Amino acid sequence: MYAIDIYAEVRHAVLVERRSMRATARLLGIDRKTVRKILDHESPPGYQRALPPRRPKLDPYIGIIDRLLANDARKPREQRRTARQIHEHLVARHQFDGGLTTVKDYVRKKRRRLNTPAG
């Protein structure tokens, strides 16, 4: 991924100064194919994962966590479980051996998607 300033330099050299793509590539020390790709996009395209991240310890418990969060969504805010309480529940009742941070990260993202306030 190239910095935005490289994008600006390439676009300026080719579109404003009317340099050829080959001359621009030589001037900036990048490949001609890269110059073509930069000209195809006004701004750098964002990174997108090909596959969702693997969570081998958490994946078998996602259904349980989702059920707990769905049940909590109907309760008053003060009565909802925190991510720490969910982790403790998984450890005590389901022999979960993953870390608290793994659960916290998943719960935070899930609550954002559900648009429910974090407890």
Side-chain angles (χ1 to χ4, degrees):
M1 181 65 72
Y2 288 94
I4 293 187
D5 56 332
I6 295 289
Y7 269 75
E9 287 181 48
V10 167
R11 294 181 70 77
H12 185 269
V14 174
L15 301 176
V16 176
E17 296 176 8
R18 295 288 193 203
R19 290 181 189 245
S20 70
M21 287 188 276
R22 181 175 287 182
T24 302
R26 209 175 309 122
L27 175 72
L28 298 174
I30 57 178
D31 192 76
R32 288 180 317 202
K33 293 178 184 176
T34 303
V35 172
R36 165 57 54 207
K37 289 178 187 177
I38 289 174
L39 291 173
D40 288 343
H41 304 283
E42 282 188 33
S43 62
Y47 174 77
Q48 297 208 350
R49 288 181 180 260
L51 299 171
R54 289 184 53 236
R55 300 172 299 229
K57 288 196 175 189
L58 186 65
D59 282 343
Y61 301 94
I62 286 180
I64 297 167
I65 296 171
D66 289 347
R67 270 197 311 275
L68 292 173
L69 292 174
N71 291 340
D72 284 354
R74 293 187 284 263
K75 294 180 182 178
R77 184 173 183 183
E78 298 82 22
Q79 294 177 7
R80 294 179 187 163
R81 292 178 181 92
T82 63
R84 181 179 301 274
Q85 290 169 332
I86 291 173
H87 177 261
E88 290 170 358
H89 173 86
L90 292 173
V91 169
R93 295 199 180 149
H94 302 283
Q95 293 74 41
F96 178 68
D97 62 344
L100 172 62
T101 305
T102 306
V103 175
K104 284 172 67 172
D105 291 345
Y106 178 77
V107 168
R108 181 183 313 113
K109 289 177 185 173
K110 186 68 175 183
R111 282 188 172 143
R112 281 187 190 150
R113 275 188 249 128
L114 293 174
N115 202 16
T116 58

